[in-house]
Structure formats: structure tokens, C-alpha cells
Amino acid sequence: MDVTILQMFNGLSVSSILLLIALGLAITFGLMNVINMAHGELIMIGAYATYVTQTLFKDLFPEAMFGWYFVAAIPVSFMAAFLLGLLLEFSLIRFLYGRPLDSLLATWGVALVLQQLARTVFGAPNVAVTSPEWLNGGLTVMDGLVFPYKRIFIIGLVAATLFVMYLYIYRSHAGRRMRAVMQNRDMAACLGVSTRRVDALTFAIGSGIAGIAGCALTLMGPIGPSLGTYYIVDAFMVVVLGGVGKLIGTVIGAVGIGMTNTLFEYWTTASLGKVLVFLCIVAFLQWKPKGLVAMRTRSLDS
Amino acid sequence: MELQMRTMTPQRILVLIGYAAAAVALFCAPLYLSDFRLNLLAKFLAFAIVALGLDLIWGYTGILSLGHGVFFGLGAYAMAMYLKLEASGGKLPDFMNWSGLTSLPWFWKPFGSFGFAVAAGLLLPALLALVLGFFTFRNRIRGVYFTILTQALVIITTTLFIGQQAFTGGTNGVTGFGTLFGQSLGKAETKQILYFVTVIALFAAFVLCRYIVGSRFGRVMRAIRDGENRARFIGYNPAVYQMLVFCVSAALAGLAGMLFVLHVGIISPSMMGIVPSIEMVLWVAIGGRGTLIGAALGAILMNAAKSTFSESYPELWTMFLGLLFVIVVVFLPKGLAGLFPQIKLRKRRGMEHEGEGVHYSAL
């Protein structure tokens, strides 16, 4: 019983990280029909931004301040990935609108370059980020059942990000413009929405969220140049499963994959668990080929 | 044959001369290449077979598969299992001993026969492709969704192969072969014969692809690529065509994998992972998708460049590879092979001073 609850908790924490990563992917794919394989590297940038913040705090500030570096690291890693995303959109992605397969290949090239850059700057071996003192230890729920604070913190961070994203997408002017472009780009453009600006901003925000995900990942273990590649395919599966265009689809997709992954890996072995999850996803797509929540459209070749 | 019925324009003759020259150059390669270089070339030619198959599905049918590493790997493992059993000579292969197995697993047993191993190396990838294709194309899961699913297939296959160490050799893969039909694999003569086998296989694959592309079937393939729904409305069932092409493509990758093992002497999960799979796509992209010769040449050229540069400058090579990917996809969607017709067209258009007319867009 204890173990099952712990596994469920772990599954929830895996899901929350997946959700953070997949959120940006789903939005950019739904909005611009662009698949960003360099998304994993934006996670890595976020993680390294956290690492740099930590090092700066260690060198520049008194020791008592060190515990608070993580609070500063979250906006720093968001901004780092946000700016890189903006640059990426401006220099490359905008040439690839409406060519999803080509965008996938081109951004994979970008991913290779970014990984190599990180290897040159920070070195190939993984670096460890010291978690702040206040995140060590855990919450004892029952005898022999401890929820680590780090994972609770990550789940909280994801919930907060999700809430902010919800407000942005469904309760703000910018979000309304974004949804309009997503539903009908031409019509939105006719009505005076600057689709170019919406695209750039949305892509950058998606990248920034990936940066936050990278920041969260530093709590889970050491980070390295190829950090993003471990998560990127799972995150894409979330998009495939959840469908594009609605926040709720991504949430359900992430929780579904994170939970089943953890549980299957617990019941069988790590490698067999992955196979089973894959089979489940393919089986699910037999029922809903466009994912759980699909945008309604009347166009045939969308 | 249809080929002879066509009129012989000067261009056609030039192309045929080109093929003949390539054939002569490949068959005479043992005369002017050292054993080491010949072995490398043989490996590149095996990769060219994968590129041909990938071009069929991507360049001609418009479906991007990032899972060809798996099909390549399945073929390679089938051959490796046969070679391993021959090398162990009736005893248990060494890595099984280390993993604590006492008897040969049942699915290893038939791989003692060469015929079965070759058949499995071709049919297993095709079967896997058929199953995956059946559950995706039939439901009109295509485009990026399909691509992502193939990539997930790569991940789970590699984790599975690494995880089941007792049966697959784990991370180390299967290696330590000795002989093929009693002939040592390390001997120069054996290597030469294997080289010729590869050249013949490449030509056979090329002719097969050529035939498929030129046939009525090939025309439907291109119709599906350019407008799947239109093809459907005319009365073709795209799913059947997509499944069949995917199968052929996978079988070609399996064939290449078998030859690869014979030349290189090892197969491990890292050779069928995400990065090799995507590199295969890059060969086709650079050579030129939608032209068979471009895909094959792309594979050979890219691998030659890789083995020249990556040993001395591994870091620069990764950078270069990434940049190349971006540049080719954005600026040269038809690859190097696309450069030639483009130049020719531009010349012709320039001569006729026609600004408008047919749009030769790169898309």
C-alpha cells in the first residue's frame, strides 16, 4: 500500500515535469504547425542558467543568502530560454511555417549545435547543482512513507506555472489573440491581429516554460549537455496523446503518460514498461487518432 | 521493358553513361583501394541501401520515418545472431554465459541456419513496419504524428535491447565473430567478396527502387505525397500504398543492416538509436529527397566526410552536422541533386526572359 502511494506520487511528479516541457511544444505546434526538436536544449539552457545563478550566488553573496538562489534562478532560467526562443524564432523558425517535417529536421540541427556549444562552454561531464537547504528532507505522511520536499516543490511550481498560463491564454488580451490565430490565422490577420508578433511571443513563452522545466530538473539530479534529449520524446508523446489547441488536453496527456510510465515500470521492468506505454499510446490513437482534445476544423488538409 | 521503348535523348544517354561509369568504378574499386578503404567503402554502400529505402518512403511518399535505425538494427542483429552462433560452435555465446543463462533461448535456435537468418533479417523489419503502418496509416495518423511515433519506437527498442542483456548482449551488443561459411571474416579475400556482394545488393536495390518509382504504383505514391486526400477521392486507398512502401523501405534497411554487420563485425543498440536514425534522414536530405541517385550518393558522401573529419575534429564535426541540417532544410529542400535541375531551369528561364509561368517553388 505504502509503496503504491509512493509510486503514484512519483508518477505525479514525473507527469508535472512532462507537462512543463510539453506545454510549450503543444502551443507552438498548435499555433504555428512547427515541431521544435530544440525544445530539449531549451530545457538544458534553463538548467545551466540555474547552475550559473547558483555559482554567482556562491561567489558574490554572503553565505546566508545562498539558500534563496533558487528563487532567483526560476525567473533567470525563464528569461534565458525566453530570449533564446525569441532569437530562434526570428532567425529560423519563421522560415519554416507550415512545414512541420522540415521544421523538425532543421530544429534538430539547432539542437546538435546547442548541445555542442554547451559541451564547449561547460564541459562534457555533468555538473551538480546544490539544492537549497530548505528543500532537503521530506514530509512524513505515514510510517515509512515520505514525500520529498523537492518533488512537492516541483509539483507546486508546475501548478503555479499552469495557473499563470491559464490566465494568460484564456483571460488576457494577448491570449485571446493567440487563440484567434490558432483557430483561423487568415481571419485573425484580416481583423488586425499581428500574427507575426503573436507567433514570436508565443514561441518565446513556450521556450521560457521549457527553461523553468530545466530549472526544476536541477533538483532531481546532475545536469549535462544532453539533458533535454531524455525528455523530449516523452514530451512529444504527450502532445500526440493530448492533442493540440487546448490546455486541458496537454494536462491529461502528461498525467496519463507520467502515471502509466511510472506504474508500468514499477510493475514490470524499466525497459518493458516503456514498451507497454508505447503500445497503450498506439492503442489509444486507434480510438482517437487526433489525440484526446482536437481542434475542430472544417478544412480537410489541416 | 519500358526502358527500351523510350526514345534515347542525349540527356538519357548521359545518365546511362553515368550509371555505367559508377558501376565500373565500384566493381574495379578493389584494384585501386587499400583493404582498409575498401572495407570503409563497403560500409558506406550498405548505408546507401538504407538511404534508398528511406527515400522511397520520405522522398516519394512524403512520410518521414525517424525509425529506420530500428529496421537497420533488426537486420543487423539477425545476421549477428547467426555469426555469433557459428563463432561459438555449438556452445552458448559468451555474453549469455556472463548473464547466467544455461541454455540457448528458443528464439535464438533457428538463427543457426544462414537461410533463416537472412530471411529474418529481411522479414522482421518488414513485419514490424507492417504492424506499425497498419495501426497508424489506416487511421490516417500521418505527418508529424507518425514521425514522432517512429521516434518513440526507436527509444523503446533501444531500451528493450539494452535491458534484455541476457538475450541481446545489452549495451555492448553482439560482437566477436569469427567466420562465415568457414572463411575468416578478417581475411582480405573474404572482405573483397563481401564488398562485391554489397555492390550487387546496392545495384539490385537501386533497380528495385527504380522499378517501383517508375511503375504505376510509384505514380500513386507521388500522388499520395502531393495530395493524400485527392488520391483518396479518386479511389485509391493511400493506407495500403503507404504500408507497402514502408515495408519495402524497412526490408531494405534490414538488408543494409545485415551487410553492415558483415563488414564492421559488431552491432550494438547505440548504432540503431535516435542519432543514427536521424543521420540516415540527413543523408537523404543532403543528397536530395525524391531522387534515388541523390539519396545513395548523399549517404556515401556524408559518411566519407564523417570518417575523414570526425576522427580529427569530433567537436567541429557535430557543429558542422547541425549547421548542415539547418542549411539544407531551409535553403536546399531538394538537396544537392536538386541543385542541377535548378541551375538548368534558371538558365532556360533566363534565356526565354520569362518572369512568370510555372512556379518552381522549393516546397
Side-chain angles (χ1 to χ4, degrees):
Chain A
M1 185 59 202
D2 295 0
V3 188
T4 316
I5 294 178
L6 189 65
Q7 290 299 329
M8 301 266 281
F9 177 73
N10 283 345
L12 199 62
S13 120
V14 171
S15 318
S16 57
I17 288 185
L18 270 182
L19 173 62
L20 219 44
I21 300 169
L23 214 55
L25 280 177
I27 293 173
T28 40
F29 183 52
L31 182 71
M32 299 177 244
N33 218 359
V34 159
I35 287 277
N36 183 15
M37 288 296 273
H39 204 74
E41 277 52 47
L42 292 163
I43 303 171
M44 171 198 75
I45 298 288
Y48 274 115
T50 310
Y51 171 71
V52 170
T53 318
Q54 177 220 267
T55 321
L56 283 180
F57 262 70
K58 220 179 248 172
D59 293 349
L60 298 179
F61 292 100
E63 202 149 320
M65 291 275 288
F66 179 73
W68 294 104
Y69 86 87
F70 203 78
V71 179
I74 296 173
V76 167
S77 50
F78 177 84
M79 275 321 283
F82 182 91
L83 291 177
L84 188 70
L86 212 55
L87 180 72
L88 202 61
E89 204 276 344
F90 183 74
S91 59
L92 178 68
I93 304 291
R94 63 184 173 135
F95 299 111
L96 295 166
Y97 283 150
R99 292 157 65 188
L101 291 182
D102 284 356
S103 70
L104 190 153
L105 292 177
T107 47
W108 193 76
V110 174
L112 266 190
V113 173
L114 287 177
Q115 274 184 33
Q116 191 56 48
L117 272 179
R119 226 167 268 142
T120 320
V121 177
F122 295 100
N126 287 355
V127 293
V129 176
T130 329
S131 328
E133 196 61 39
W134 48 275
L135 280 177
N136 289 335
L139 184 71
T140 314
V141 186
M142 279 191 285
D143 262 354
L145 185 62
V146 180
F147 290 171
Y149 284 135
K150 283 179 189 169
R151 286 180 183 261
I152 296 178
F153 177 78
I154 289 176
I155 294 174
L157 180 67
V158 174
T161 315
L162 196 66
F163 183 65
V164 173
M165 275 314 281
Y166 169 78
L167 288 184
Y168 175 76
I169 296 176
Y170 294 102
R171 293 281 182 273
S172 79
H173 292 293
R176 187 162 57 198
R177 280 194 291 272
M178 192 195 96
R179 276 181 295 140
V181 176
M182 210 186 255
Q183 279 169 17
N184 194 331
R185 176 171 290 268
D186 295 337
M187 186 55 85
C190 288
L191 294 174
V193 176
S194 166
T195 53
R196 281 288 309 126
R197 203 180 297 161
V198 169
D199 286 343
L201 189 64
T202 314
F203 189 85
I205 289 177
S207 307
I209 297 177
I212 295 183
C215 182
L217 279 176
T218 57
L219 292 177
M220 313 279 286
I223 55 170
S226 53
L227 175 77
T229 42
Y230 296 117
Y231 294 91
I232 191 76
V233 177
D234 276 350
F236 274 126
M237 297 306 272
V238 169
V239 178
V240 170
L241 187 70
V244 289
K246 285 248 169 71
L247 209 53
I248 187 75
T250 315
V251 174
I252 296 175
V255 173
I257 289 189
M259 281 298 198
T260 43
N261 215 341
T262 315
L263 289 181
F264 276 141
E265 280 182 14
Y266 170 60
W267 283 327
T268 61
T269 62
S271 54
L272 267 180
K274 277 216 177 330
V275 177
L276 287 175
V277 172
F278 179 72
L279 292 181
C280 286
I281 290 170
V282 173
F284 178 83
L285 288 178
Q286 303 305 303
W287 175 47
K288 286 206 176 234
K290 291 228 170 240
L292 203 59
V293 182
M295 283 245 275
R296 286 177 186 219
T297 168
R298 291 190 178 200
S299 68
L300 183 63
D301 291 303
S302 56
Chain B
M1 254 179 81
E2 207 185 354
L3 209 80
Q4 285 147 345
M5 303 271 286
R6 289 192 203 142
T7 44
M8 281 292 181
T9 59
Q11 266 180 344
R12 258 202 91 64
I13 294 175
L14 262 182
V15 169
L16 284 179
I17 290 176
Y19 286 151
V24 170
L26 282 181
F27 273 107
C28 297
L31 295 177
Y32 55 84
L33 284 182
S34 67
D35 285 341
F36 174 70
R37 298 263 162 222
L38 192 71
N39 191 237
L40 273 185
L41 181 63
K43 190 173 86 177
F44 302 162
L45 294 181
F47 285 145
I49 299 179
V50 188
L52 283 178
L54 204 51
D55 198 20
L56 273 190
I57 186 83
W58 186 33
Y60 286 94
T61 323
I63 296 163
L64 177 58
S65 157
L66 292 181
H68 267 56
V70 168
F71 305 132
F72 179 83
L74 283 179
Y77 268 98
M79 181 54 80
M81 283 157 88
Y82 166 74
L83 290 174
K84 191 74 194 169
L85 287 179
E86 187 171 307
S88 347
K91 273 183 283 184
L92 208 57
D94 45 14
F95 64 84
M96 289 187 185
N97 264 328
W98 303 331
S99 311
L101 284 193
T102 46
S103 66
L104 205 59
W106 59 268
F107 60 89
W108 267 74
K109 278 180 186 145
F111 282 92
S113 108
F114 183 72
F116 182 86
V118 170
L122 289 173
L123 293 180
L124 273 183
L127 192 70
L128 181 63
L130 186 70
V131 172
L132 185 66
F134 181 79
F135 284 111
T136 47
F137 298 138
R138 212 175 38 113
N139 284 309
R140 307 189 193 176
I141 298 174
R142 53 175 186 254
V144 185
Y145 285 72
F146 178 78
T147 308
I148 292 170
L149 283 178
T150 54
Q151 194 164 42
L153 178 75
V154 174
I155 291 219
I156 60 161
T157 319
T158 42
T159 27
L160 195 65
F161 271 64
I162 291 173
Q164 307 296 319
Q165 188 162 7
F167 306 118
T168 59
T171 328
N172 302 325
V174 184
T175 184
F177 314 128
T179 55
L180 176 68
F181 300 135
Q183 300 294 313
S184 165
L185 278 172
K187 252 194 336 193
E189 288 87 54
T190 325
K191 280 190 186 290
Q192 243 177 48
I193 294 172
L194 286 175
Y195 170 78
F196 283 121
V197 171
T198 311
V199 173
I200 292 169
L202 176 61
F203 273 97
F206 187 78
V207 170
L208 174 75
C209 293
R210 204 56 221 242
Y211 175 73
I212 294 177
V213 168
S215 68
R216 193 186 153 77
F217 190 92
R219 251 176 255 170
V220 181
M221 274 159 58
R222 268 166 302 198
I224 291 169
R225 175 191 68 188
D226 296 338
E228 187 176 329
N229 279 316
R230 293 188 192 187
R232 182 176 283 121
F233 297 155
I234 298 171
Y236 294 102
N237 183 358
V240 174
Y241 286 86
Q242 287 163 331
M243 276 190 297
L244 275 177
V245 179
F246 196 39
C247 278
V248 173
S249 179
L252 283 176
L255 172 69
M258 287 194 279
L259 293 165
F260 174 84
V261 163
L262 288 172
H263 298 308
V264 180
I266 181 172
I267 179 70
S268 71
S270 67
M271 297 170 192
M272 52 197 271
I274 288 201
V275 176
S277 303
I278 241 176
E279 252 177 66
M280 290 170 186
V281 172
L282 181 62
W283 305 334
V284 181
I286 287 182
R289 60 184 109 150
T291 56
L292 292 171
I293 195 80
L297 280 179
I300 297 171
L301 283 179
M302 278 306 291
N303 280 296
K306 185 180 181 180
S307 70
T308 323
F309 297 122
S310 70
E311 283 149 21
S312 17
Y313 313 100
E315 294 191 354
L316 275 180
W317 171 254
T318 322
M319 285 272 191
F320 173 73
L321 201 68
L323 287 177
L324 200 63
F325 231 123
V326 176
I327 291 168
V328 166
V329 170
V330 176
F331 297 109
L332 287 175
K334 291 193 169 174
L336 292 179
L339 277 181
F340 298 102
Q342 258 176 15
I343 293 167
K344 227 183 279 167
L345 278 177
R346 208 164 286 165
K347 254 190 207 160
R348 200 183 303 160
R349 263 196 286 179
M351 275 190 286
E352 291 168 2
H353 292 290
E354 269 185 332
E356 281 166 286
V358 191
H359 217 62
Y360 297 103
S361 87
L363 278 174

